[in-house]
Amino acid sequence: MARYAMVTDLRKCVACQACTVACSAEWAVPAGHARTHVRTTPLAGSFPNLTSSPVVGQCNQCDHPPCVEPCPSGATYQDAGGIVRVDTDVCIGCGFCVDACPYEARFINPRTKKVDKCDFCRPRIERGEVPACVATCTAHAKYFGDLEDRNSEVSRLVFRDGARRMETRTVAVGPNVFYLGRPEHLDLVLSSYPPRPPRLLTAGAAWTRLLKPLVLAMVGMTFAGQAVAFFTQLHKGEGDFEE
Amino acid sequence: MRSDAIPLAPVPLTADEAETMLQRQIKKHHVAIILLHWFNAATWILEVATGAALISSRLFRVAPDWYLAIVNGLFGTRGNLLRFHVALGLVWIGVFLVYGIFGFRTYLRGEVLKKEIALDRDDVRWLVVRALRILGRSDEALPLQGVYNAGQKLFSMVVYAMLPVVMVTGVIMAFRLFSPWVVGWAVVLHFGAVGAVVAGLVIHVYMGAVFPEEKPAFFSMFTGSVNELFAYNHHFKWWREMKTEQLAWDRQREPAAEIARPETPAGGEGDAQEPST
Amino acid sequence: MTRRRFLGTAATLGAGAVAVPAVASPTVHPPGWSGTARVEKIATTCEMCFWRCGVLASVEGGKVVRVEGNPDHPQNQGRLCARGNAGTGLLHDPDRLKTPLLRVGERGEGRFKPVSWDEALDFLAGRLVKLRDEHGPESVAFFPHGNGARFFATLMRAYGTPNSAEPSFAQCRGPREVGYSLTFGQGLGSPEPVDLEEARLVVLIGSHLGENVFTSQITAFATGLARGAKLIAVDPRFSLAASKADWWLPIRPGTDIALLLAWMNVLIAEDLCDKEYLKTYASGFDRLANHVREFTPEWAEAITEIPAAKIRETARAMGKAKPAVAVHPGRHVTWYGDDTQRARAMAILTALLGSWGRKGGIFLPTPIPRGSFDLPDFPEPKRGRADGAGKRFPLAIEELGVTNGLIDATLSGDPYPIKAWIVYGQNMLESIPQPARTVEAIGKLDLMVVVDVLPVEQIKYADLVLPEATYLERYDPPTIVESAKRPFIAVRSPACEPLYESKPGWWIAKELAKRLKLEAFFPWDTPEQHLEKILKPTGFGARELLNRGAVAFPGKPYLEDRAPVDRTFDTASGKIELYSEALAKIGADPLPRYTPPVEPPKGFFRLIYGRAPVHSFARSQNNEALDALMSENEVWLATSVARDWGVTEGQRIVLENVEGVKSSPVRVKVTEGIRSDCAYLVHGFGQQSRALRRAFGRGASDNSLMSRVSVDPLTGGTGMRVNFVRAARA
C-alpha cells in the first residue's frame, strides 16, 4: 500500500505561482480560488537584517485528517494511498470540512458549489504522471512519491534529509506534505502560518451536541411509550376494546 | 330520526342499533387522500431509510455500521444513494405541491387547518385522559372527539410544521443554494425536522397498525370508510355533525327516504367531508 | 484544430502547397474536463513572455483547453511559469480585438468602425503607397516586438524604410549588449547564458530572479542554490532573491558602478583574480589595476552605503568561488543613463573572475546552421536612420534601433519628418517612458497603425487597428536559440483556428506585400514551406519540428570545449578588452567610472520598479487567472517613510512626480524590506484602456510617472530610475 507524500524545498521555491496556475488549469478551478496557494511570510527582523520565506500550501493529506469526521455525508474520505479525497457525488457543500482543516486547504468551488481541494492529482498519479504542480514547478522545488518505497526521492528527502512537517504540539494530525529549508525559514513559516486547531461550525456543533441527542431521545421515548402501552393492552386483554 | 332525536352525548345502544350501525359505512377519506397517505408513507420509509444511511460521519450518524453497509451495498455507490434520496424527495415535494395548489381550498384549508390541526377544549382534555388511560392511571371517559382525535391532531401539527422545513432544507441541500453556511444549517434542520416527525410516526404507526381499538381507522385508509358504530364510539362529535347535516338535507328534500350511504363523488374535486345523500 | 486541418487551411491560402501528411500527435485522455473525449496535444512555443518556452496545447473539439510545458523541449523541459500555464486566458480573453477597426472619430477619441480585412489592407496599402510617393518610404517608422514581428520587419525593409526600433533595446537590454560586446566581442542575447546551475556563487545586481520569472532561468537558479551556491543580492529592496541570499547588499540606488569598482579593487589588491585566464585572454589589465586602485571599499562605502567590510567579504567570496561565479548581467538595465558603463563594469568583473566561457559563469553560444530565402535586394534607403543609431548614439545597434530616437525624430521632424507609425505587439504607452511625449508625437503623424491582440491604450490613437491571432493560433518564424547549453530551434504553430476575425502576422504581412507589389520578398505559399527552407541545412524537416516543437543540437558552452584556436573574442584586439579602445576612440571612458546619480528634490523619493512572477510587462493584467493572483500593484514604502507620509498599510494613495504627474490610486505596502530613499512599484499596472475590463485602472502605472529619462549617450538607452515621487496632497 502506498503512502503518498509531497516535499517542497523552500530553498528552491521562488513563489512564482506556476503551481497555482497549473493546478487551476488542470482542474478547472474558477479564478479567485485555488487548490494550492503560495505565500511569502511576513518579514522578520528589521532593516537590513531581514528574513522571509516563500511557502506553498495545499492539502496535507494528513494521516489523521480532521476533515473526515465532520463531513456528514461521508463525501470526504481517505483512500488507500493515504490521500484525502472528496466524492463530489456525495458532497452537499455544507462547508463543515472547510472549517475543520488546519491548513486552510479546502474551499467551496463556486461553480460546483461543492468542496474542492488538492488530491495530489489522483487521476494523474493513476496515469503514472506526477501531480500538475510538480510537473510545472519552475524551480524543481516540489517532489512527489511514495514514502513506503524506501528508494523513492521523497523517502530520501524525508527520512534522510529530515524534511519537516508543519505541525505544532497542539495540532499534530500527521501531514504528508513536507518541507525542506533553512531551519530559521522553516521556523518562520510555522510561526507565521501555524496549523489552526480544527473547528466544528456552530451548525455542526448544534447537530452533534443538541439535535442528535434530542432526536434520539424523542424517538426513544415515543418508542418506549408505545411499548408500555402495548404490554398494558396485552395485559388487559384485547376483548376490552371489542364492541 | 329527527334532529331533536340526535343525542348530545353517546347513549347506550341496543344490540340491534349497534349491529345496524356496524353494517353501515360512513365515508371518511377521499381516495385522493388515501393515495397521498400511502405515497407519503412509502416515501417516508424510503427517505428515512436512505437518509439514515447517508449520514455516515461518526459525529452525526444515527444508524449502525452494518446498516450503512447494507444500504450502501444496495445502491452500489454513495452517489447513487444520494441521487435516489434527492430524486425521490423532489418527486415527493412535487406531489405535495400539486395537492397544495390544486386542492388548496378543500385539502389545505378545509381539511388540514379546520379538521386535522385545530384543537378544542375537549381535545386537550382527551390528550390528558388518553395518556392516563394508556398508562392505566385513569378510568375517566374520553371527551367526545371530532373526525380526528386529539392525538391524531397533535401528530398532524408536528407533521405540518416540519414538512416545509424538511422540504425547504432538502431543496437547499439538493441544489446547494445560498451559501455553504446556509447549506450547513439546512443539513442540521433537515435532520432535526425529520427526527421530530419520526418520533411522532412511532405513535402514529403503532396506533394505526397495532392498536386494536383503532383498527377501523386503519382500514379506512384503504377503503375510505368507517362503520357508523366506530364513528359513534370514537368520533361522536363528527358522527353527530354528520347526522345533523343529513337531517337538514333530508328536510329540504321532503319527502326524504332513509339516510343513504355516502357515495364517492364522481368528480375529482369531491368533498369527502360532506355527507351526500 | 488538428495538425492536419492547420496544414489544410494553410494550404488553401496559397496555391501549389506541398501536401504534408498528417502526423500522429500524442493523444491521451484529458485530465480535468471531460471523461472520454480525445485530446490532441500540439507542440508549440509560448508567448506569454519572450523567453520562448516549449508548450503542449491540449486541444479538445477544436478548442485549446490547457497549455502545459513540453517535456521534450530542451529549454524548459516540461516546466512552465504561471503565465505560461495561464495561456488559454489570453486566447479566450473576451476583450480581444476581434475585427479590423478603422477610426471614425477624431484621433484619440477611440471611435472605430469594424471593417473587413480587404478594406483594412487596401486602406493601409493605399496610405503606404501615398506616403512613399509624397514623403519617401523613410517617413514610415516601425515599432516591432517579439518573434512574430519578423515578417513585418521584412516587409518594412522591402518597402524601403530603415526606421525600425524595438523597446527591447533602448528600454531594456541594449546597453548591456553593447557593454558586453565592447568587452568580450559579443553580447549575451536572450535567454541570457548565465550558468546559474553550475555556479558556486551567484551575483545579482538589481536582478530580482524569482519575482522576475523565466522558467529555465529559475530552474537553473534554484538548482544552483540547492547545490550549495552562495548568493549575493545587490538591491535597494529585500527581493525574493535577497531572502535567499547569503549577502543582501541594500545599495543606495544609482551607485552600482562604485560597488563594482570597489570589488575590482579588492580582487586586484588581494590578488584574487584569475590571473592565468586574464593573461591568456584579456588585455588592459594594468590600466584597469591603476584605474581602480583609488576605489577602495571605504571610498565605495561612502557612496553606496554598503559597509566596506561587507564589500571586502563579498569580493573575497567571489575570489574564492572563481571562476564559477555567475555575475548576472541583468535584463532590463536602462536605469541611470550610465548603463553601458555599468554593463562594462559587470563584464570586467566577470573577466577578472575568469567566468566568461567557464562552467558556473557565462557560457558561450553555439552557432546553428539555418537556411535562408534567395530574396531580391532590399532597396537602399535614400536617407539614413532617423533614430540616431550609429550617429547621435554611436554604439546603438542598428538592427534593433532606438525607439525614443524615433519618437524624438517624429516630434522634431529632424533629421526628416516621420509621417506614419506601425506598431506591432507592443504597448508603447506602458513600455516607453515619457508617455506624454509619445502621445504628442502620435499627434504629428498622418497614419498610426496598431497590430495587436488586445485593445491596449495606444489603440485609441490609431487610425487602423489590425487584430492579430494569439500565439496559440498562429505560425511564427522559427526561434533559433544559440545561447543555450543545448542550442535549439523551436517553432510556434497554431493549436487552433484563429478566433473571431483575427489573423496571423505572417498572413497580414504577406497580404500587405501583395498589395504593395512586394510579393517577391515572400517567396513561399505556406508556413511549412517557409519552415522547411529555414530548416534545410539542419537536417530536420518541418514536419518533425512541428511534431516535436523543438529540436536541439549539441552545444559547446565552455571555452574548454573548443580548440584553443577557436577561443577568440570578436573585439578589435581579439582579446577580452578590460580597457576599451573602442570607447577611447569615440571619446568615452575606456574604463568605467562612477558618476553620481541625480538626487531627488526634498520630500521626493526615487521611483524604482520591477516585475512580479505572475505578470509579463503590461501584457498579462487582463488575464483572468493571473488577475486573480495579482490584480493590482502596491507601492512599497519603508516603515519610516510611511510614517513620514502619514500613510498606513493598505491605504490607497495617489503618487505624484516632480513634474506634477499623478498616478491612479495605489495601495500602500509598508515594509522593512526597502531602503528609505525609494518607493517601489511592480511594472505594468494602472492601465488606462477601458476596453481591458480587468486591467483598467488597477493600481498605478510606473511608466506614467516617468516624465524624465536619463539617456545613455552611447546607446540611446533611456535611464528610467531618475523619477521621483511623493504622496499627492489631497
Side-chain angles (χ1 to χ4, degrees):
Chain A
M1 209 163 66
R3 185 162 152 240
Y4 292 112
M6 194 168 291
V7 179
T8 305
D9 189 341
L10 298 184
R11 295 168 305 185
K12 292 170 115 184
C13 174
V14 297
C16 74
Q17 304 264 24
C19 49
T20 317
V21 183
C23 170
S24 293
E26 182 84 17
W27 299 109
V29 178
H33 291 78
R35 290 181 174 194
T36 171
H37 45 87
V38 176
R39 295 181 286 202
T40 303
T41 67
L43 297 189
S46 59
F47 186 91
N49 298 307
L50 297 167
T51 313
S52 84
S53 173
V55 61
V56 185
Q58 64 196 93
C59 174
N60 280 250
Q61 322 293 357
C62 308
D63 292 338
H64 310 287
C67 51
V68 169
E69 203 160 63
C71 173
S73 64
T76 286
Y77 64 102
Q78 204 172 14
D79 76 9
I83 297 175
V84 179
R85 296 171 69 184
V86 177
D87 181 348
T88 48
D89 274 1
V90 187
C91 176
I92 54 169
C94 69
F96 289 4
C97 59
V98 174
D99 250 46
C101 175
Y103 297 97
E104 297 175 41
R106 289 170 165 264
F107 60 96
I108 300 289
N109 181 317
R111 191 166 41 78
T112 62
K113 298 199 165 188
K114 294 179 179 186
V115 75
D116 205 334
K117 68 179 273 297
C118 162
D119 61 358
F120 279 169
C121 284
R122 207 12 147 155
R124 286 180 64 109
I125 303 174
E126 275 152 26
R127 291 201 302 266
E129 299 169 24
V130 293
C133 58
V134 177
T136 207
C137 179
T138 61
H140 293 210
K142 290 196 129 203
Y143 303 86
F144 175 78
D146 179 7
L147 284 181
E148 299 285 321
D149 172 5
R150 291 290 144 152
N151 297 317
S152 71
E153 201 163 31
V154 288
S155 284
R156 193 167 51 74
L157 296 173
V158 168
F159 299 117
R160 197 194 72 191
D161 298 351
R164 257 168 66 180
R165 299 170 146 185
M166 289 299 156
E167 284 190 308
T168 59
R169 204 160 288 153
T170 44
V171 187
V173 288
N176 283 305
V177 169
F178 296 79
Y179 296 90
L180 284 166
R182 295 187 190 179
E184 69 269 26
H185 282 164
L186 294 175
D187 290 343
L188 180 62
V189 167
L190 192 52
S191 64
S192 300
Y193 307 112
R196 186 188 62 189
R199 287 193 305 233
L200 186 59
L201 279 177
T202 317
W207 184 349
T208 182
R209 300 208 189 106
L210 188 71
L211 272 176
K212 186 175 155 184
L214 196 68
V215 163
L216 288 178
M218 277 193 310
V219 175
M221 272 162 59
T222 51
F223 206 85
Q226 294 309 307
V228 170
F230 181 70
F231 287 111
T232 313
Q233 246 167 261
L234 278 185
H235 179 71
K236 279 188 180 172
E238 290 201 11
D240 283 10
F241 299 101
E242 291 303 321
E243 309 309 323
Chain B
M1 272 198 253
R2 303 195 60 84
S3 74
D4 48 64
I6 301 174
L8 286 169
V11 289
L13 300 169
T14 66
D16 281 352
E17 278 175 327
E19 187 54 36
T20 315
M21 286 170 86
L22 188 62
Q23 295 310 317
R24 201 184 287 153
Q25 294 293 309
I26 307 180
K27 170 90 179 177
K28 189 178 180 190
H29 301 297
H30 188 271
V31 64
I33 293 293
I34 295 170
L35 287 175
L36 180 64
H37 175 269
W38 290 114
F39 166 72
N40 191 32
T43 306
W44 273 88
I45 289 167
L46 289 169
E47 289 291 85
V48 170
T50 51
L54 275 168
I55 312 171
S56 71
S57 159
R58 258 164 234 293
L59 280 179
F60 309 119
R61 74 154 69 153
V62 285
D65 275 338
W66 59 263
Y67 178 77
L68 265 62
I70 289 173
V71 179
N72 284 338
L74 225 52
F75 282 86
T77 68
R78 292 183 58 74
N80 289 342
L81 176 60
L82 178 61
R83 270 188 286 274
F84 174 82
H85 184 83
V86 169
L88 181 55
L90 291 175
V91 169
W92 176 72
I93 291 171
V95 168
F96 266 77
L97 280 180
V98 168
Y99 270 79
I101 292 164
F102 290 103
F104 174 77
R105 205 169 54 82
T106 38
Y107 296 128
L108 264 183
R109 210 175 51 193
E111 175 85 347
V112 174
L113 295 178
K114 288 190 185 147
K115 294 180 185 160
E116 289 187 22
I117 286 181
L119 288 177
D120 60 19
R121 191 172 297 166
D122 285 345
D123 290 331
V124 177
R125 183 69 202 146
W126 186 93
L127 285 172
V128 176
V129 174
R130 176 84 258 184
L132 290 173
R133 279 171 63 116
I134 285 174
L135 298 172
R137 292 270 179 262
S138 171
D139 285 332
E140 187 182 330
L142 285 165
L144 301 177
Q145 293 290 288
V147 65
Y148 293 109
N149 70 42
Q152 291 166 321
K153 283 181 175 178
L154 201 65
F155 175 62
S156 292
M157 283 170 85
V158 172
V159 169
Y160 286 112
M162 292 303 147
L163 274 192
V165 178
V166 173
M167 290 176 178
V168 170
T169 54
V171 168
I172 288 175
M173 285 188 286
F175 299 104
R176 304 176 294 286
L177 302 178
F178 312 110
S179 66
W181 184 88
V182 173
V183 175
W185 276 105
V187 193
V188 178
L189 293 178
H190 196 74
F191 172 82
V194 169
V197 172
V198 169
L201 271 176
V202 174
I203 304 176
H204 178 74
V205 170
Y206 176 78
M207 283 296 179
V210 183
F211 201 58
E213 215 178 318
E214 293 286 341
K215 281 225 166 97
F218 177 68
F219 289 115
S220 78
M221 262 304 156
F222 296 99
T223 63
S225 309
V226 291
N227 64 66
E228 191 178 346
L229 184 63
F230 174 78
Y232 185 83
N233 282 334
H234 292 266
H235 303 279
F236 183 78
K237 288 205 289 192
W238 174 51
W239 176 84
R240 193 170 182 282
E241 207 177 296
M242 303 242 300
K243 273 287 179 228
T244 312
E245 278 179 28
Q246 193 184 340
L247 279 173
W249 185 253
D250 289 350
R251 261 193 223 115
Q252 275 178 5
R253 316 176 100 210
E254 290 285 353
E258 53 182 309
I259 299 169
R261 284 185 188 182
E263 282 167 19
T264 307
E269 278 284 291
D271 283 338
Q273 289 72 36
E274 286 174 24
S276 38
T277 49
Chain C
M1 168 161 90
T2 62
R3 170 78 63 206
R4 187 189 344 223
R5 280 177 59 210
F6 154 58
L7 296 170
T9 310
T12 59
L13 293 171
V18 177
V20 182
V23 293
S25 292
T27 304
V28 297
H29 289 289
W33 27 86
S34 69
T36 51
R38 285 158 69 89
V39 165
E40 195 177 11
K41 294 196 176 189
I42 305 290
T44 182
T45 302
C46 188
E47 201 191 36
M48 293 300 286
C49 80
F50 295 93
W51 201 252
R52 294 162 290 176
C53 295
V55 295
L56 294 178
S58 300
V59 184
E60 194 183 314
K63 192 180 172 189
V64 179
V65 289
R66 171 94 156 90
V67 176
E68 55 200 317
N70 179 357
D72 300 326
H73 196 280
Q75 176 164 277
N76 57 308
Q77 294 166 29
R79 310 288 161 148
L80 210 54
C81 74
R83 297 155 295 168
N85 273 298
T88 55
L90 175 67
L91 175 65
H92 298 129
D93 192 325
D95 295 343
R96 270 181 68 174
L97 291 169
K98 299 182 175 73
T99 62
L101 298 170
L102 198 58
R103 176 166 66 86
V104 290
E106 287 300 304
R107 187 184 279 161
E109 241 182 297
R111 288 203 296 128
F112 299 94
K113 64 167 183 189
V115 293
S116 69
W117 274 101
D118 272 338
E119 208 175 326
L121 293 170
D122 289 346
F123 167 84
L124 179 52
R127 296 295 296 270
L128 287 174
V129 168
K130 192 160 171 272
L131 283 163
R132 185 168 57 191
D133 293 348
E134 290 175 8
H135 302 280
E138 305 86 356
S139 66
V140 176
F142 179 47
F143 294 87
H145 191 220
N147 230 28
R150 296 230 297 270
F151 294 118
F152 285 90
T154 305
L155 178 67
M156 297 319 290
R157 278 186 71 195
Y159 174 75
T161 178
N163 291 316
S164 164
E166 307 198 19
S168 56
F169 184 79
Q171 280 72 45
C172 196
R173 50 198 172 85
R176 181 196 79 186
E177 294 301 295
V178 171
Y180 276 74
S181 286
L182 288 166
T183 314
F184 297 108
Q186 68 188 75
L188 295 147
S190 170
E192 285 78 19
V194 188
D195 201 2
L196 293 163
E197 62 189 323
E198 301 286 351
R200 285 203 295 265
L201 174 66
V202 175
V203 184
L204 301 178
I205 299 173
S207 284
H208 50 327
L209 302 190
E211 285 148 297
N212 180 25
V213 169
F214 297 118
T215 298
S216 57
Q217 189 172 63
I218 292 301
T219 305
F221 178 53
T223 306
L225 291 182
R227 287 181 185 170
K230 300 277 186 205
L231 175 61
I232 299 171
V234 182
D235 201 317
R237 190 176 61 92
F238 189 71
S239 60
L240 178 118
S243 77
K244 297 192 179 302
D246 300 271
W247 296 275
W248 173 44
L249 308 181
I251 192 168
R252 189 163 73 91
T255 65
D256 308 85
I257 293 179
L259 174 67
L260 288 158
L261 290 171
W263 274 340
M264 293 178 208
N265 172 292
V266 178
L267 288 176
I268 293 173
E270 301 192 7
D271 207 10
L272 297 167
C273 304
D274 191 332
K275 276 183 295 191
E276 199 176 325
Y277 177 92
L278 290 169
K279 213 164 97 189
T280 317
Y281 300 120
S283 69
F285 180 78
D286 294 339
R287 281 163 147 169
L288 176 72
N290 276 331
H291 177 67
V292 300
R293 190 159 295 137
E294 57 182 306
F295 304 132
T296 61
E298 285 70 22
W299 166 83
E301 175 176 338
I303 294 167
T304 61
E305 296 178 10
I306 298 168
K310 286 254 182 207
I311 297 176
R312 282 214 167 76
E313 193 183 329
T314 45
R316 286 169 189 157
M318 289 184 221
K320 195 172 156 215
K322 74 167 187 297
V325 181
V327 179
H328 197 292
R331 190 166 170 97
H332 169 83
V333 297
T334 47
W335 299 347
Y336 299 99
D338 60 356
D339 307 304
T340 307
Q341 291 292 2
R342 188 181 63 254
R344 275 270 298 149
M346 291 166 74
I348 293 169
L349 179 68
T350 302
L352 291 181
L353 295 164
S355 306
W356 180 270
R358 305 285 284 280
K359 204 170 206 176
I362 304 288
F363 59 81
L364 303 172
T366 311
I368 304 176
R370 69 194 74 180
S372 59
F373 289 93
D374 200 11
L375 296 182
D377 290 338
F378 286 104
E380 190 60 41
K382 292 194 183 64
R383 293 174 285 183
R385 299 184 63 93
D387 62 358
K391 296 195 185 91
R392 185 152 65 107
F393 308 118
L395 300 179
I397 298 172
E398 296 197 16
E399 291 79 58
L400 295 167
V402 182
T403 47
N404 38 303
L406 282 181
I407 294 171
D408 291 345
T410 307
L411 277 169
S412 64
D414 176 35
Y416 50 83
I418 301 288
K419 291 293 177 185
W421 286 5
I422 297 175
V423 184
Y424 173 92
Q426 61 154 302
N427 182 355
M428 294 183 77
L429 297 177
E430 288 295 340
S431 62
I432 299 175
Q434 299 178 301
R437 286 185 93 233
T438 307
V439 171
E440 197 189 333
I442 295 170
K444 305 246 176 202
L445 299 173
D446 288 352
L447 178 67
M448 164 87 170
V449 182
V450 174
V451 186
D452 212 321
V453 170
L454 289 173
V456 295
E457 193 189 349
Q458 67 193 1
I459 296 280
K460 76 176 179 194
Y461 301 103
D463 301 301
L464 179 67
V465 179
L466 300 179
E468 207 199 0
T470 64
Y471 72 96
L472 290 168
E473 303 157 300
R474 70 170 195 254
Y475 168 81
D476 271 351
T479 280
I480 299 171
V481 172
E482 297 181 335
S483 59
K485 285 190 187 167
R486 286 172 67 215
F488 63 89
I489 300 183
V491 71
R492 178 171 296 135
S493 62
C496 66
E497 299 272 11
L499 297 183
Y500 317 113
E501 294 294 311
S502 67
K503 292 283 183 190
W506 67 264
W507 182 88
I508 304 172
K510 205 162 160 10
E511 286 294 307
L512 206 49
K514 268 187 214 164
R515 286 164 170 79
L516 293 169
K517 312 235 174 338
L518 299 170
E519 272 176 286
F521 292 91
F522 296 85
W524 42 271
D525 294 312
T526 65
E528 309 78 64
Q529 290 175 359
H530 179 260
L531 183 60
E532 198 78 62
K533 180 83 180 174
I534 291 182
L535 288 181
K536 191 136 204 204
T538 65
F540 291 104
R543 191 148 45 96
E544 180 165 17
L545 188 55
L546 288 168
N547 220 359
R548 289 164 56 180
V551 289
F553 299 83
K556 292 181 176 176
Y558 306 122
L559 287 169
E560 67 196 39
D561 299 331
R562 303 173 179 205
V565 67
D566 291 334
R567 298 176 193 168
T568 55
F569 298 87
D570 194 13
T571 54
S573 59
K575 295 212 159 199
I576 298 171
E577 296 198 348
L578 303 177
Y579 176 94
S580 172
E581 296 289 358
L583 285 175
K585 209 176 286 173
I586 58 169
D589 284 332
L591 288 164
R593 188 172 294 280
Y594 165 71
T595 47
V598 183
E599 288 303 316
K602 196 170 159 40
F604 283 88
F605 295 77
R606 189 179 301 274
L607 176 64
I608 58 175
Y609 51 86
R611 305 185 69 182
V614 299
H615 285 295
S616 291
F617 316 121
R619 297 169 63 96
S620 59
Q621 281 73 11
N622 213 53
N623 183 301
E624 188 183 18
L626 303 176
D627 170 74
L629 291 174
M630 184 182 186
S631 61
E632 59 183 312
N633 57 358
E634 299 168 305
V635 56
W636 291 38
L637 297 175
T639 316
S640 60
V641 174
R643 205 166 40 232
D644 286 353
W645 288 16
V647 296
T648 51
E649 175 85 17
Q651 188 181 338
R652 276 184 199 280
I653 62 168
V654 167
L655 297 173
E656 178 184 31
N657 71 8
V658 180
E659 286 72 19
V661 175
K662 288 180 179 171
S663 74
S664 43
V666 60
R667 275 186 206 282
V668 169
K669 170 180 167 132
V670 180
T671 177
E672 284 289 293
I674 189 169
R675 283 176 57 95
S676 57
D677 53 5
C678 42
Y680 173 81
L681 282 176
V682 166
H683 170 69
F685 287 89
Q687 294 193 33
Q688 294 305 310
S689 172
R690 285 180 188 277
L692 296 172
R693 283 171 290 180
R694 278 198 194 88
F696 173 72
R698 298 276 185 84
S701 162
D702 56 329
N703 201 57
S704 74
L705 294 167
M706 291 179 192
S707 299
R708 297 179 181 183
V709 290
S710 182
V711 177
D712 180 358
L714 299 173
T715 60
T718 50
M720 302 187 216
R721 296 192 176 167
V722 294
N723 291 279
F724 308 102
V725 294
R726 65 180 178 192
R729 304 281 173 249

